[in-house]
Amino acid sequence: MQSNLSSDVIVEILMRLPVKSICRFKCVCKLWCLLISDPTFIKRHLNLAIIDKDIEHQRQKLILHSSSTPSLYHVECDAMTSNDVMAVKLHFPLIRSSFDKVKFIGSFNGLLCISLEPERLFLFNPAIRELKVKRIPNLYIDINRSLDDRVSRPPIYGFGYDHSFDDYNVVKIMYESIVYVYSLKTDTWRRAQRFSYRRFNSDSGVPLNGAVHWVFARGKDSPLVSMPRLIVAFDFAEGKFRELPRPYDDAENVTAVGVLGGCLCWLGEQQDFWVMKEYGVKESWTEVVIGVPFLNLRPLSFLKNDEALLVINEGLIVYNPREDTHREIVIHGINGRGKLEIETYVESLVSPNVWNWELKEISD
């Protein structure tokens, strides 16, 4: 195929296109196919969404799962200008006997890590419809613990990206003390630093800055309810846990952290939450008061016009911080009325193929 455009101009144009369009252009000619599949182009396409907020908003999606259906759905975040949005079914082969156990562990760079308990993990890129499956080996069995104890305290997971090694990692905390980390690049599990904290729930960790974050308590002997809440991060590069400064010490009602606009959030149970504007700096914590009472809150992302997309009391709302107003979002098109799992992702060309997992390309 002949073109009057230079290769540099073609790259600049392709970088700004949606993933779906780029995948179609692989069929234009062999040269374009090689270009679009090149790791350098894939990284440039991804980085453009990181530095250009308009492009990030265009590529931003929600992925949803209902406990009453074996399907996954996605919603365009750009559609949130309306209070009624339509979910579109994704091609994702869940097992019908286990779909009520699906759990989103996290997303990063367009890849979603999904747990189908108890023994399988999925790495899924919805934009390019590639899926990889990993069976979790029985890494460690404590024969001194009863079966009831093992079942009642399910493992805690976290998924994130290690910038220093260009690797995606899964961390698994089991039996309140044992920690394993899975490297997607080397396809191996390794034992990590012993876990010396106590947890409040089985929520997955929140990825940010090469680490995964939770709210834990320190110590083993005191009643959990009386222990101070701590922000604990597992650093993938160092393979260690570390503590981050909290905005204040009296935090009995705080059991979770989140991420909004690339900033760590400290979440409570009232009408406010805190945002760490500069990662790791205690003085950068800023209080955000919203005019919506809540028992639980989870920030998802910023939309256009600086509106915030939040999950409040299991409902989806768009909050306008400048006017202190909010509106509820009603999602149509999902069968059943089960509890919704919601995760955000930004469409990318990042493929799980680079790791030695079982590959499944999802066809129509």
Side-chain angles (χ1 to χ4, degrees), residues 100-346:
D100 60 327
K101 299 178 181 179
V102 170
K103 182 176 182 180
F104 294 147
I105 294 176
S107 71
F108 210 92
N109 290 350
L111 296 180
L112 290 108
C113 187
I114 303 171
S115 167
L116 186 58
E117 298 170 343
E119 78 287 352
R120 291 200 297 169
L121 291 176
F122 295 90
L123 190 67
F124 181 42
N125 184 326
I128 59 176
R129 297 191 299 182
E130 288 189 6
L131 168 71
K132 289 194 174 185
V133 184
K134 182 66 185 180
R135 292 194 176 275
I136 305 172
N138 197 354
L139 299 168
Y140 178 91
I141 297 178
D142 187 342
I143 60 176
N144 296 318
R145 292 184 181 272
S146 67
L147 178 61
D148 289 342
D149 186 31
R150 298 177 204 167
V151 173
S152 64
R153 303 297 285 176
I156 308 171
Y157 287 101
F159 173 70
Y161 178 66
D162 182 352
H163 300 266
S164 59
F165 292 97
D166 189 24
D167 193 11
Y168 296 88
N169 292 157
V170 179
V171 59
K172 179 179 182 180
I173 304 172
M174 42 199 299
Y175 309 144
E176 308 304 290
S177 60
I178 308 301
V179 182
Y180 280 90
V181 179
Y182 188 83
S183 164
L184 305 179
K185 178 176 283 189
T186 63
D187 191 29
T188 57
W189 290 93
R190 60 182 171 86
R191 188 81 172 263
Q193 176 189 21
R194 189 174 181 85
F195 182 69
S196 59
Y197 298 90
R198 292 181 67 181
R199 58 167 161 174
F200 297 96
N201 50 50
S202 298
D203 291 348
S204 298
V206 176
L208 183 68
N209 281 12
V212 183
H213 307 74
W214 296 268
V215 173
F216 291 140
R218 189 191 300 114
K220 300 287 185 180
D221 300 325
S222 303
L224 185 60
V225 67
S226 64
M227 290 183 172
R229 271 63 169 166
L230 305 171
I231 302 175
V232 179
F234 182 82
D235 189 292
F236 287 123
E238 296 183 0
K240 296 180 180 179
F241 290 96
R242 54 183 168 82
E243 297 176 13
L244 274 71
R246 301 164 295 170
Y248 53 90
D249 294 332
D250 183 15
E252 294 182 359
N253 295 325
V254 177
T255 59
V257 288
V259 172
L260 184 62
C263 297
L264 192 67
C265 299
W266 176 252
L267 310 174
E269 296 180 342
Q270 301 174 11
Q271 286 184 280
D272 65 348
F273 63 96
W274 292 74
V275 177
M276 181 182 267
K277 296 294 184 68
E278 186 176 349
Y279 185 77
V281 178
K282 180 179 177 63
E283 293 75 20
S284 72
W285 280 112
T286 303
E287 185 179 17
V288 179
V289 180
I290 63 175
V292 187
F294 59 85
L295 294 175
N296 55 75
L297 177 147
R298 183 182 169 221
L300 294 177
S301 65
F302 278 118
L303 304 176
K304 290 181 178 179
N305 303 321
D306 295 326
E307 292 182 315
L309 185 61
L310 311 171
V311 176
I312 290 185
N313 303 332
E314 298 186 4
L316 193 62
I317 76 161
V318 172
Y319 177 72
N320 186 322
R322 288 177 295 184
E323 300 178 4
D324 193 25
T325 59
H326 72 280
R327 49 190 175 86
E328 297 182 7
I329 303 296
V330 179
I331 299 175
H332 303 277
I334 299 179
N335 298 326
R337 297 185 177 181
K339 181 180 178 181
L340 281 180
E341 286 253 352
I342 303 176
E343 185 62 77
T344 60
Y345 71 98
V346 176

